[in-house]
Amino acid sequence: MDEQEKSAYRFADFQLQPAERRLLRGEEAIALTPKAFEILRLLVERAGHAVSKDEIMTTIWPDRFVAESNLTKHIWTLRQALGESQEGGRFIETVPKLGYRFVAPVTADGTTVERDASPSLDPPPVRISGSGWRRQFFSRASALFAALLFAAVAMTAWWLWNGRDPVFPWSRRAPGTAVAVFDFDNLSHKAADAWIGPAFSEMLGTEMAEGGQLHLLPSELIRQTRGDTTDPDAGGFSPETLAGLHRQLAVDYVVTGSFLASSKPGEQYVRLDLALQDARSGVTVATFSRTGPSGDLPSLVALAGADLRKNLDLKIQSADELRRIANARPPSADVMRHIGFALQALHRYEPARARDELLQAVAGAPDYAPSYVYLAKAWTALGYDQKALAASKQAVAHSAGLPQDMRLKIEAQKYEAQFQWMNAVASLRTLAAGETDNFETQLDIADDLLRAGKAKAAHETVAQLQQRGEPMVSDPRLELLDARIANAQGNTKDAAEHARLALHLAQARDAAGLTADAQTALGATLLESDRKSANAMLAQALTGYRRIANPGGAAEVHRLFGILFGQSQPKRAVQEFRDSLAQSQAIGDRNGMAAGYADLATALWDAGDRDGAEAATTNVLRIRRETGDIRGQAWALAALAIEQSDERASDESLTGFRQAAALDASVEAHGHRAFSLFSLADILRLRGEFVQAELACAEAQSEYRGINANLSGADLECAEISLDRGDLSTAEAGLDHVRQTAPHTQEPKMLLGNVATIQGQIAMSKGQWAEGARLFDGAKKEFAEADLKTGEAVATSLLALSYSALGKTAKREAAAKRAAELRSGMTERQEVIQVDIALTELRGETGNSAEAISRLQSMAADARARQWPGWALEAELAELNVLKKTGKTAQAVALRTRIAGEARQQGFGWVLQRVARL
């Protein structure tokens, strides 16, 4: 072992130990994949000096063909492990157009490693942190998607393939059957001719694959690999490049080519030059060269396909196969041109541009099904659900006589447009069986499984794709899907990591649409943890969506802006929600409409408009049932149960919460199931069913613990149950714990306001009026800053009672006036009854006691009719206070006896304790 191998390299608070193959931060070991460790070691050993990408790749992968994106991803992993941003910072610097440089000071056994004195040219890093993804319904539901901490991130799965050749599904097929058709070069470099390449390669692939004797590699995989290979000469790739492609992709044959469009008097011509090469031997099997009128390109496709199949000694296609191939060809060069431009746009994730071209293709050939297939995809990407459905139905109507794989794609797309996700999965799985797990097909399967609420199955499908190695795992779409899956599983930390990596990969690919999608996903994860960065990220996404004319994406950004400004700028938040909903309605995006109604319902509830919130939530449930969204249905059922329980703690509302929890369990939505359960506990508490309430609350806490989530919302409910039962010490300990954990939640001000309100009531019950006033004043401010008018009204009315007991008349009158003003705009009965009880008690002490007593008696009777025995007892306690303070002793004694008996019988221990103090 040489001296260098024995060295331990130290930089900042890290130590790199090559002999032990270990990286330490202090005493903590940092997990790295073998290749990532070797890259870090190389950079550290050359600290201060630029190391080219070629040198790194040759050193780390000496005998393998590796896409450059593989190195990019490992550098990204190292930066995450070292705690710096994706752009780099104090450790790894990107040297433009060359490679990387380790810039931190390094010592090896006390000796400083030689450094390059040249300054870094990179800009300072923008550090972005993330937590939180989606928002809950109603303020009291803040714990659902709080910052959930999970240790695993997407990068940890890559060890499965790192260091060995990937095993692709098609490599298990008979030798000589896997073919890669690379995009063809545009020799004229004219933008007007760019459509020919993607159109020709797409049609040629269909020509060659019909009959099942050949397996075409996924176009997206080929497109990524092409960016990391040397451009082919006129006769194709070099033997070395072919050998690398064979090792890396398990490909047997490679088709490359070029085209040159030129004009002759009265006609445009296109020259096509193709090369068919054996990637195993490096031999050129055949070449094809033909010039013909641009109007006859479909015929050139047919000739080229027949010639290549012949040179591969494939069996002669049957008459049926030939007819199916002919039906799949564009009927004219003009249609082919529009489809070519559309494919180019779709590859760049610019669906609006693709849509415009495809509408022209449909106008030119109304019976050509593939145009409708691509058009449906474009409409879906833009959020036009009904138009996507119409296009998919047209594709089905004209699909007779097409190749089987194309018919299956059309069938799956029809089911997707109808939100029949599992039917779509079945069609795609049939297609995948014939295509031997095509990457694109598997990606669609995972997406449909997730939309069907099968997050675990979707995750397993993605994990299988990730095991295939580069360049598949460098596809930003895979990372975006992983982000959605992580979010659905309540793992917002992983969602943020996947979104960051998706953005990094999308920007490297210069894909405008994908970049905007990734910015939206990342911005959503930053809504609570880094509002400034979230704002900037969402603004960039909105600009990107507008640039490519994607209204569906823009609507989602407006919705997220509404969430972002929900507490700081409530009026702007409501306007953002309305803008999002209006855009979704304009294009018929039902998922967007449901999300818009949900957020609008939240805002209306927070503003005290129960009726408006219920109307919006009813729309959410209707749409989610239409689209088969199980998670969305669970959310709406729980929300409606809250609204119903605000009217009456009915059996129907209990059923709603239980149904929501059952749906949550079916799709493993543990976070929302916890919310549904502690909301159920709240209604059971109101009904005085404390045993069942405690069981539901404990189960909610268990759900949160199972996903390492913040328990503050459930803990608050459990503390209230303990308080109502009279277990004051347990309740106070629980409230103190919630106060400590609230700042780390999604709705800290709401929780802190609730805790202070309850603690103030405890202080009141002990006669500690000054402490109660202090707590109520703090709660009022928390609620006001969050624009939670119902909470502010409750705290302010109780503050007025405290001031009355303290003899502070002016402050009492001001607080009572403010509480009445807030009360006038409310329709939430549960919150209103608490305000009404406090203000009526106050009037009884300072004015007409008889009228106040009568009204409190009516409130108690109304509360019992609504199955709120706890509120009925609270109204009677207020009546008892009025009787006592106005000297009506006999009536007070009788009422005290009745309240005590009822509280003892129903288990309201805290009411019993307060009666005893009186």
Side-chain angles (χ1 to χ4, degrees), residues 31-108:
L32 291 177
T33 64
K35 295 300 182 185
F37 183 90
E38 289 300 329
I39 294 171
L40 179 60
R41 174 182 172 179
L42 175 60
L43 292 174
V44 168
E45 288 174 352
R46 302 277 297 281
H49 297 276
V51 185
S52 70
K53 294 179 182 178
D54 288 341
E55 181 179 352
I56 298 174
M57 294 168 73
T58 301
T59 303
I60 305 302
W61 293 278
D63 57 350
R64 295 178 59 197
F65 174 89
V66 175
E68 185 178 305
S69 53
N70 199 335
L71 172 59
T72 302
K73 182 166 286 189
H74 280 82
I75 293 293
W76 189 92
T77 307
L78 286 173
R79 284 172 169 162
Q80 294 294 301
L82 295 173
E84 65 181 16
S85 73
Q86 64 185 29
E87 292 85 5
R90 59 192 183 118
F91 296 113
I92 300 174
E93 174 189 75
T94 299
V95 182
K97 299 184 179 179
L98 178 62
Y100 302 96
R101 179 189 293 117
F102 198 85
V103 295
V106 176
T107 60

Coordinates of all heavy atoms in Angstrom, one line a residue, residues 31-108:
A31 N -22.8 8.0 4.2 CA -23.0 6.9 3.2 C -22.8 7.4 1.8 O -23.4 8.4 1.4 CB -24.3 6.2 3.4
L32 N -21.9 6.7 1.0 CA -21.6 7.0 -0.4 C -21.6 5.7 -1.1 O -21.2 4.7 -0.6 CB -20.3 7.7 -0.6 CG -20.2 9.2 0.0 CD1 -18.8 9.7 -0.2 CD2 -21.2 10.1 -0.7
T33 N -22.1 5.8 -2.4 CA -22.0 4.6 -3.3 C -20.5 4.4 -3.6 O -19.7 5.4 -3.6 CB -22.8 4.8 -4.5 OG1 -22.3 5.9 -5.3 CG2 -24.3 5.0 -4.2
P34 N -20.1 3.2 -4.1 CA -18.6 3.0 -4.4 C -18.1 4.0 -5.4 O -17.0 4.6 -5.3 CB -18.6 1.6 -4.9 CG -19.8 0.9 -4.2 CD -20.8 2.0 -4.1
K35 N -18.9 4.3 -6.5 CA -18.4 5.2 -7.5 C -18.4 6.6 -7.0 O -17.4 7.4 -7.4 CB -19.3 5.1 -8.8 CG -19.3 3.7 -9.4 CD -17.9 3.3 -9.9 CE -17.9 2.0 -10.6 NZ -16.5 1.5 -11.0
A36 N -19.3 7.0 -6.3 CA -19.3 8.4 -5.7 C -18.1 8.6 -4.8 O -17.4 9.6 -4.9 CB -20.6 8.6 -4.9
F37 N -17.8 7.5 -4.0 CA -16.6 7.6 -3.2 C -15.3 7.8 -4.0 O -14.4 8.6 -3.7 CB -16.5 6.4 -2.3 CG -15.3 6.4 -1.3 CD1 -15.5 6.9 -0.1 CD2 -14.1 6.0 -1.7 CE1 -14.4 7.0 0.8 CE2 -13.0 6.0 -0.8 CZ -13.2 6.6 0.5
E38 N -15.2 7.0 -5.1 CA -14.0 7.1 -5.9 C -13.9 8.5 -6.6 O -12.8 9.0 -6.8 CB -14.0 6.0 -7.0 CG -13.8 4.6 -6.4 CD -12.5 4.5 -5.7 OE1 -11.5 5.1 -6.1 OE2 -12.4 3.7 -4.7
I39 N -15.0 9.0 -7.0 CA -15.0 10.4 -7.7 C -14.5 11.4 -6.6 O -13.7 12.3 -6.9 CB -16.4 10.7 -8.2 CG1 -16.7 9.8 -9.4 CG2 -16.4 12.2 -8.7 CD1 -18.1 9.9 -9.9
L40 N -15.1 11.3 -5.4 CA -14.7 12.3 -4.4 C -13.2 12.1 -4.1 O -12.5 13.1 -3.9 CB -15.5 12.1 -3.1 CG -15.1 13.0 -1.9 CD1 -15.4 14.4 -2.3 CD2 -16.0 12.6 -0.7
R41 N -12.7 10.9 -4.0 CA -11.3 10.7 -3.7 C -10.4 11.3 -4.8 O -9.4 12.0 -4.5 CB -11.0 9.2 -3.6 CG -9.6 8.8 -3.5 CD -9.4 7.3 -3.4 NE -8.0 6.9 -3.5 CZ -7.6 5.7 -3.4 NH1 -8.4 4.7 -3.3 NH2 -6.3 5.4 -3.5
L42 N -10.8 11.1 -6.1 CA -10.0 11.7 -7.2 C -10.0 13.2 -7.1 O -8.9 13.8 -7.2 CB -10.6 11.2 -8.5 CG -10.0 11.8 -9.8 CD1 -8.5 11.4 -9.9 CD2 -10.8 11.3 -11.0
L43 N -11.1 13.8 -6.8 CA -11.2 15.2 -6.8 C -10.4 15.8 -5.6 O -9.7 16.8 -5.7 CB -12.6 15.7 -6.7 CG -13.5 15.5 -7.9 CD1 -14.9 15.9 -7.7 CD2 -12.9 16.3 -9.1
V44 N -10.5 15.1 -4.4 CA -9.8 15.6 -3.2 C -8.3 15.4 -3.4 O -7.5 16.3 -3.0 CB -10.3 14.8 -2.0 CG1 -9.3 15.0 -0.8 CG2 -11.7 15.2 -1.7
E45 N -7.8 14.3 -4.0 CA -6.4 14.1 -4.3 C -5.8 15.2 -5.2 O -4.7 15.5 -5.1 CB -6.2 12.7 -4.9 CG -6.3 11.6 -3.9 CD -6.2 10.2 -4.5 OE1 -6.2 10.2 -5.8 OE2 -6.2 9.2 -3.8
R46 N -6.7 15.7 -6.1 CA -6.3 16.8 -7.0 C -6.8 18.1 -6.6 O -7.0 19.0 -7.4 CB -6.8 16.4 -8.4 CG -6.3 15.0 -8.9 CD -5.0 15.1 -9.6 NE -5.0 15.9 -10.7 CZ -5.5 15.6 -11.9 NH1 -5.9 14.4 -12.1 NH2 -5.4 16.4 -12.9
A47 N -7.0 18.3 -5.3 CA -7.6 19.5 -4.8 C -7.0 20.8 -5.3 O -5.7 20.9 -5.4 CB -7.5 19.5 -3.2
G48 N -7.8 21.7 -5.8 CA -7.3 22.9 -6.3 C -7.1 22.9 -7.8 O -6.8 23.9 -8.4
H49 N -7.1 21.7 -8.4 CA -6.8 21.6 -9.8 C -8.1 21.1 -10.5 O -8.8 20.3 -10.0 CB -5.7 20.6 -10.1 CG -4.4 21.0 -9.5 ND1 -3.5 21.8 -10.2 CD2 -3.8 20.7 -8.3 CE1 -2.5 22.0 -9.4 NE2 -2.6 21.4 -8.3
A50 N -8.3 21.6 -11.7 CA -9.5 21.2 -12.5 C -9.2 19.7 -13.0 O -8.1 19.4 -13.5 CB -9.7 22.1 -13.7
V51 N -10.2 18.9 -12.9 CA -10.2 17.5 -13.4 C -11.2 17.4 -14.5 O -12.4 17.7 -14.2 CB -10.4 16.5 -12.3 CG1 -10.2 15.1 -12.9 CG2 -9.4 16.7 -11.2
S52 N -10.8 17.0 -15.7 CA -11.8 17.0 -16.8 C -12.8 15.9 -16.6 O -12.5 14.9 -16.0 CB -11.1 16.8 -18.2 OG -10.5 15.5 -18.3
K53 N -14.0 16.0 -17.3 CA -15.0 15.0 -17.2 C -14.4 13.7 -17.8 O -14.7 12.6 -17.4 CB -16.2 15.4 -17.9 CG -17.0 16.6 -17.2 CD -18.2 17.0 -18.0 CE -18.9 18.2 -17.4 NZ -20.1 18.6 -18.1
D54 N -13.7 13.8 -19.0 CA -13.1 12.7 -19.6 C -12.2 11.9 -18.7 O -12.2 10.7 -18.7 CB -12.4 13.1 -20.9 CG -13.3 13.5 -22.0 OD1 -14.5 13.2 -21.9 OD2 -12.9 14.2 -22.9
E55 N -11.4 12.6 -18.0 CA -10.4 12.0 -17.1 C -11.2 11.2 -16.0 O -10.8 10.1 -15.6 CB -9.4 13.0 -16.5 CG -8.4 12.3 -15.6 CD -7.4 13.3 -15.0 OE1 -7.4 14.5 -15.4 OE2 -6.6 12.9 -14.1
I56 N -12.2 11.9 -15.4 CA -12.9 11.3 -14.3 C -13.6 10.0 -14.8 O -13.5 8.9 -14.2 CB -14.0 12.2 -13.8 CG1 -13.3 13.4 -13.1 CG2 -14.8 11.5 -12.7 CD1 -14.3 14.5 -12.7
M57 N -14.3 10.1 -16.0 CA -15.0 8.9 -16.5 C -14.1 7.8 -16.9 O -14.4 6.6 -16.7 CB -15.9 9.4 -17.7 CG -17.0 10.4 -17.3 SD -17.8 11.2 -18.6 CE -18.7 9.8 -19.3
T58 N -12.9 8.1 -17.5 CA -11.9 7.1 -17.8 C -11.4 6.4 -16.6 O -11.2 5.2 -16.6 CB -10.8 7.7 -18.7 OG1 -11.4 8.3 -19.8 CG2 -9.8 6.7 -19.1
T59 N -11.2 7.2 -15.6 CA -10.6 6.7 -14.3 C -11.6 5.8 -13.6 O -11.2 4.7 -13.1 CB -10.1 7.8 -13.4 OG1 -9.1 8.6 -14.1 CG2 -9.4 7.3 -12.2
I60 N -12.8 6.3 -13.4 CA -13.8 5.6 -12.6 C -14.4 4.5 -13.3 O -14.8 3.4 -12.7 CB -14.8 6.6 -12.1 CG1 -14.2 7.8 -11.4 CG2 -15.9 6.0 -11.2 CD1 -13.4 7.4 -10.2
W61 N -14.6 4.6 -14.6 CA -15.2 3.6 -15.5 C -14.3 3.2 -16.6 O -14.5 3.6 -17.8 CB -16.6 4.0 -16.0 CG -17.7 4.3 -15.0 CD1 -18.4 3.3 -14.4 CD2 -18.0 5.5 -14.5 NE1 -19.3 3.9 -13.5 CE2 -19.1 5.3 -13.5 CE3 -17.6 6.8 -14.6 CZ2 -19.7 6.3 -12.8 CZ3 -18.2 7.9 -13.9 CH2 -19.3 7.6 -13.0
P62 N -13.2 2.6 -16.3 CA -12.1 2.4 -17.3 C -12.6 1.5 -18.5 O -12.0 1.6 -19.6 CB -11.0 1.7 -16.6 CG -11.7 1.1 -15.4 CD -12.8 1.9 -15.0
D63 N -13.5 0.6 -18.3 CA -13.8 -0.4 -19.4 C -15.3 -0.4 -19.7 O -15.8 -1.4 -20.2 CB -13.4 -1.8 -19.0 CG -14.1 -2.2 -17.7 OD1 -14.7 -1.3 -17.0 OD2 -14.0 -3.4 -17.3
R64 N -15.9 0.8 -19.5 CA -17.4 0.8 -19.8 C -17.7 2.1 -20.5 O -17.1 3.1 -20.4 CB -18.2 0.8 -18.5 CG -18.1 -0.5 -17.7 CD -18.9 -0.3 -16.4 NE -20.3 -0.1 -16.7 CZ -21.1 0.3 -15.8 NH1 -20.7 0.6 -14.6 NH2 -22.4 0.5 -16.1
F65 N -18.7 2.0 -21.4 CA -19.3 3.2 -22.0 C -20.3 3.7 -21.0 O -21.2 3.1 -20.5 CB -20.1 2.8 -23.3 CG -20.8 3.9 -23.9 CD1 -20.2 4.8 -24.8 CD2 -22.1 4.2 -23.6 CE1 -20.9 5.8 -25.4 CE2 -22.8 5.2 -24.1 CZ -22.2 6.0 -25.0
V66 N -20.1 5.0 -20.6 CA -20.9 5.6 -19.6 C -21.4 7.0 -20.1 O -20.6 7.8 -20.6 CB -20.2 5.8 -18.3 CG1 -21.0 6.6 -17.3 CG2 -19.8 4.5 -17.7
A67 N -22.7 7.2 -20.0 CA -23.2 8.5 -20.4 C -22.7 9.6 -19.4 O -22.6 9.4 -18.2 CB -24.7 8.5 -20.4
E68 N -22.5 10.8 -19.9 CA -22.0 11.9 -19.1 C -23.0 12.2 -18.0 O -22.6 12.7 -16.9 CB -21.7 13.1 -20.0 CG -21.1 14.3 -19.2 CD -20.8 15.5 -20.1 OE1 -20.2 15.3 -21.1 OE2 -21.3 16.6 -19.7
S69 N -24.3 12.0 -18.2 CA -25.3 12.3 -17.2 C -25.0 11.4 -16.0 O -25.5 11.8 -14.9 CB -26.7 12.1 -17.7 OG -26.8 10.8 -18.3
N70 N -24.4 10.3 -16.1 CA -24.1 9.4 -15.0 C -23.1 10.2 -14.0 O -23.3 10.2 -12.8 CB -23.4 8.1 -15.5 CG -23.5 7.0 -14.4 OD1 -23.6 7.3 -13.3 ND2 -23.4 5.8 -14.9
L71 N -22.1 10.8 -14.6 CA -21.1 11.6 -13.8 C -21.9 12.7 -13.2 O -21.6 13.0 -12.0 CB -20.0 12.0 -14.7 CG -19.0 13.0 -14.1 CD1 -18.4 12.4 -12.8 CD2 -18.0 13.5 -15.1
T72 N -22.7 13.4 -13.9 CA -23.4 14.6 -13.4 C -24.2 14.2 -12.2 O -24.3 14.9 -11.2 CB -24.4 15.1 -14.5 OG1 -23.6 15.5 -15.6 CG2 -25.1 16.3 -14.0
K73 N -24.9 13.0 -12.2 CA -25.7 12.6 -11.1 C -24.8 12.2 -9.9 O -25.2 12.6 -8.8 CB -26.5 11.4 -11.5 CG -27.4 10.9 -10.4 CD -28.5 9.9 -10.9 CE -29.5 10.7 -11.7 NZ -30.7 9.8 -12.1
H74 N -23.7 11.6 -10.1 CA -22.8 11.3 -9.0 C -22.3 12.6 -8.3 O -22.1 12.7 -7.1 CB -21.7 10.4 -9.4 CG -22.0 9.0 -9.6 ND1 -22.7 8.5 -10.7 CD2 -21.9 7.9 -8.7 CE1 -22.9 7.2 -10.5 NE2 -22.5 6.8 -9.3
I75 N -21.9 13.6 -9.2 CA -21.5 14.9 -8.6 C -22.6 15.5 -7.8 O -22.4 16.0 -6.7 CB -21.1 15.9 -9.7 CG1 -19.8 15.3 -10.4 CG2 -20.9 17.3 -9.2 CD1 -18.6 15.3 -9.5
W76 N -23.8 15.4 -8.3 CA -25.0 15.9 -7.5 C -25.1 15.2 -6.2 O -25.4 15.8 -5.2 CB -26.2 15.7 -8.4 CG -27.5 16.4 -7.9 CD1 -28.0 17.6 -8.2 CD2 -28.4 15.8 -6.9 NE1 -29.1 17.8 -7.5 CE2 -29.5 16.8 -6.7 CE3 -28.5 14.6 -6.3 CZ2 -30.5 16.6 -5.9 CZ3 -29.6 14.4 -5.4 CH2 -30.6 15.3 -5.2
T77 N -24.9 13.9 -6.2 CA -25.0 13.1 -5.0 C -24.0 13.5 -4.0 O -24.2 13.7 -2.8 CB -24.8 11.6 -5.3 OG1 -25.7 11.2 -6.3 CG2 -25.0 10.8 -4.0
L78 N -22.7 13.8 -4.5 CA -21.7 14.2 -3.6 C -22.0 15.6 -3.0 O -21.7 15.8 -1.8 CB -20.3 14.3 -4.3 CG -19.7 12.9 -4.7 CD1 -18.5 13.1 -5.6 CD2 -19.3 12.2 -3.4
R79 N -22.5 16.5 -3.8 CA -22.8 17.8 -3.2 C -23.9 17.7 -2.2 O -23.8 18.4 -1.2 CB -23.3 18.7 -4.4 CG -22.1 19.2 -5.2 CD -22.5 19.9 -6.5 NE -21.4 20.6 -7.1 CZ -21.4 21.0 -8.4 NH1 -22.5 20.8 -9.1 NH2 -20.3 21.6 -8.9
Q80 N -24.9 16.8 -2.4 CA -25.9 16.6 -1.3 C -25.2 16.1 -0.1 O -25.6 16.5 1.1 CB -27.0 15.7 -1.8 CG -27.8 16.3 -3.0 CD -28.6 17.5 -2.6 OE1 -29.4 17.4 -1.7 NE2 -28.3 18.6 -3.2
A81 N -24.4 15.1 -0.2 CA -23.7 14.5 1.0 C -22.9 15.5 1.7 O -22.8 15.4 3.0 CB -22.9 13.3 0.5
L82 N -22.2 16.4 1.0 CA -21.4 17.4 1.6 C -22.1 18.6 2.1 O -21.6 19.5 2.7 CB -20.3 17.9 0.6 CG -19.3 16.8 0.2 CD1 -18.4 17.3 -0.9 CD2 -18.5 16.3 1.4
G83 N -23.4 18.6 1.8 CA -24.3 19.7 2.4 C -24.2 21.0 1.6 O -24.5 22.1 2.2
E84 N -23.9 20.9 0.3 CA -23.9 22.1 -0.5 C -25.0 22.0 -1.6 O -25.6 21.0 -1.8 CB -22.6 22.4 -1.1 CG -22.1 21.4 -2.1 CD -20.7 21.7 -2.6 OE1 -20.0 22.6 -2.0 OE2 -20.3 21.2 -3.7
S85 N -25.3 23.1 -2.3 CA -26.4 23.2 -3.2 C -26.0 22.5 -4.5 O -24.8 22.1 -4.7 CB -26.7 24.6 -3.6 OG -25.7 25.2 -4.4
Q86 N -27.0 22.2 -5.4 CA -26.7 21.5 -6.6 C -25.8 22.3 -7.5 O -25.2 21.7 -8.4 CB -28.1 21.2 -7.3 CG -28.8 22.5 -7.8 CD -30.2 22.2 -8.4 OE1 -30.8 21.2 -8.0 NE2 -30.6 23.0 -9.3
E87 N -25.7 23.6 -7.3 CA -24.8 24.4 -8.2 C -23.3 24.3 -7.7 O -22.4 24.8 -8.3 CB -25.2 25.9 -8.3 CG -26.6 26.1 -9.0 CD -27.7 25.9 -8.1 OE1 -27.5 25.7 -6.9 OE2 -28.9 25.9 -8.6
G88 N -23.1 23.8 -6.5 CA -21.8 23.7 -5.9 C -21.6 24.9 -4.9 O -22.5 25.7 -4.7
G89 N -20.4 24.9 -4.3 CA -20.2 25.9 -3.3 C -18.8 25.8 -2.8 O -17.8 25.9 -3.5
R90 N -18.7 25.5 -1.5 CA -17.4 25.6 -0.9 C -16.6 24.3 -1.1 O -15.4 24.2 -0.6 CB -17.6 25.8 0.6 CG -18.4 24.8 1.4 CD -18.7 25.3 2.8 NE -19.5 24.3 3.5 CZ -19.1 23.8 4.6 NH1 -17.9 24.1 5.1 NH2 -19.8 22.9 5.3
F91 N -17.1 23.3 -1.8 CA -16.4 22.0 -2.0 C -16.1 21.7 -3.4 O -15.0 21.8 -3.9 CB -17.1 20.9 -1.3 CG -17.2 21.0 0.2 CD1 -18.4 21.2 0.8 CD2 -16.1 20.9 1.0 CE1 -18.5 21.3 2.2 CE2 -16.1 21.1 2.4 CZ -17.4 21.3 3.0
I92 N -17.1 21.5 -4.2 CA -17.0 21.1 -5.6 C -17.4 22.2 -6.5 O -18.6 22.6 -6.5 CB -17.8 19.8 -5.9 CG1 -17.3 18.6 -5.0 CG2 -17.6 19.4 -7.3 CD1 -18.1 17.4 -5.1
E93 N -16.5 22.6 -7.3 CA -16.8 23.7 -8.3 C -16.9 23.2 -9.7 O -16.1 22.3 -10.1 CB -15.6 24.7 -8.2 CG -15.7 25.9 -9.2 CD -14.4 26.7 -9.2 OE1 -13.4 26.2 -9.7 OE2 -14.5 27.8 -8.7
T94 N -17.9 23.6 -10.4 CA -18.0 23.3 -11.8 C -17.1 24.2 -12.7 O -17.1 25.4 -12.5 CB -19.4 23.4 -12.3 OG1 -20.3 22.6 -11.6 CG2 -19.6 23.1 -13.8
V95 N -16.2 23.6 -13.5 CA -15.4 24.3 -14.4 C -16.1 24.3 -15.8 O -16.1 23.2 -16.4 CB -14.0 23.7 -14.5 CG1 -13.1 24.6 -15.4 CG2 -13.4 23.7 -13.1
P96 N -16.6 25.3 -16.2 CA -17.4 25.3 -17.5 C -16.7 24.7 -18.6 O -15.5 25.0 -18.9 CB -17.8 26.8 -17.7 CG -17.7 27.4 -16.4 CD -16.6 26.7 -15.7
K97 N -17.4 23.8 -19.3 CA -16.9 23.1 -20.6 C -15.6 22.3 -20.3 O -14.9 21.9 -21.3 CB -16.6 24.1 -21.7 CG -17.8 24.9 -22.1 CD -17.5 25.8 -23.2 CE -18.8 26.6 -23.7 NZ -18.5 27.5 -24.8
L98 N -15.3 22.0 -19.0 CA -14.2 21.1 -18.8 C -14.5 20.0 -17.8 O -14.5 18.8 -18.1 CB -13.0 22.0 -18.2 CG -11.8 21.1 -17.9 CD1 -11.2 20.5 -19.1 CD2 -10.7 22.1 -17.2
G99 N -14.8 20.4 -16.6 CA -15.0 19.3 -15.5 C -15.3 19.9 -14.2 O -16.1 20.8 -14.1
Y100 N -14.5 19.5 -13.2 CA -14.8 19.9 -11.8 C -13.5 20.1 -11.1 O -12.5 19.6 -11.4 CB -15.6 18.8 -11.1 CG -16.9 18.5 -11.7 CD1 -17.1 17.4 -12.6 CD2 -18.1 19.3 -11.5 CE1 -18.2 17.1 -13.3 CE2 -19.3 19.0 -12.2 CZ -19.3 17.9 -13.0 OH -20.5 17.7 -13.7
R101 N -13.6 21.0 -10.0 CA -12.4 21.3 -9.2 C -12.9 21.2 -7.7 O -13.9 21.8 -7.4 CB -11.9 22.6 -9.5 CG -10.7 23.1 -8.6 CD -10.3 24.5 -8.9 NE -9.8 24.8 -10.2 CZ -10.4 25.6 -11.1 NH1 -11.5 26.2 -10.8 NH2 -9.9 25.7 -12.3
F102 N -12.1 20.6 -6.9 CA -12.3 20.6 -5.4 C -11.6 21.8 -4.9 O -10.4 22.0 -5.0 CB -11.8 19.3 -4.8 CG -12.4 19.0 -3.4 CD1 -13.6 18.4 -3.3 CD2 -11.7 19.5 -2.3 CE1 -14.1 18.2 -2.0 CE2 -12.3 19.3 -1.0 CZ -13.5 18.6 -0.9
V103 N -12.4 22.7 -4.3 CA -11.9 24.1 -4.0 C -11.7 24.3 -2.5 O -11.1 25.3 -2.1 CB -12.9 25.2 -4.5 CG1 -12.9 25.1 -6.0 CG2 -14.3 25.0 -3.9
A104 N -12.1 23.4 -1.6 CA -11.9 23.5 -0.2 C -10.4 23.2 0.2 O -9.8 22.3 -0.5 CB -12.8 22.7 0.6
P105 N -9.8 23.9 1.1 CA -8.5 23.5 1.6 C -8.5 22.1 2.1 O -9.3 21.7 2.9 CB -8.2 24.5 2.7 CG -9.1 25.6 2.5 CD -10.4 25.0 1.9
V106 N -7.5 21.3 1.7 CA -7.3 19.9 2.1 C -6.0 19.6 2.7 O -5.0 20.1 2.2 CB -7.5 19.0 0.8 CG1 -7.3 17.5 1.2 CG2 -8.9 19.2 0.2
T107 N -6.0 18.9 3.8 CA -4.7 18.4 4.3 C -4.7 16.9 4.3 O -5.7 16.3 4.5 CB -4.5 18.9 5.8 OG1 -5.6 18.5 6.6 CG2 -4.5 20.5 5.8
A108 N -3.5 16.3 4.2 CA -3.3 14.9 4.2 C -2.3 14.6 5.2 O -1.1 14.9 5.1 CB -2.9 14.4 2.8

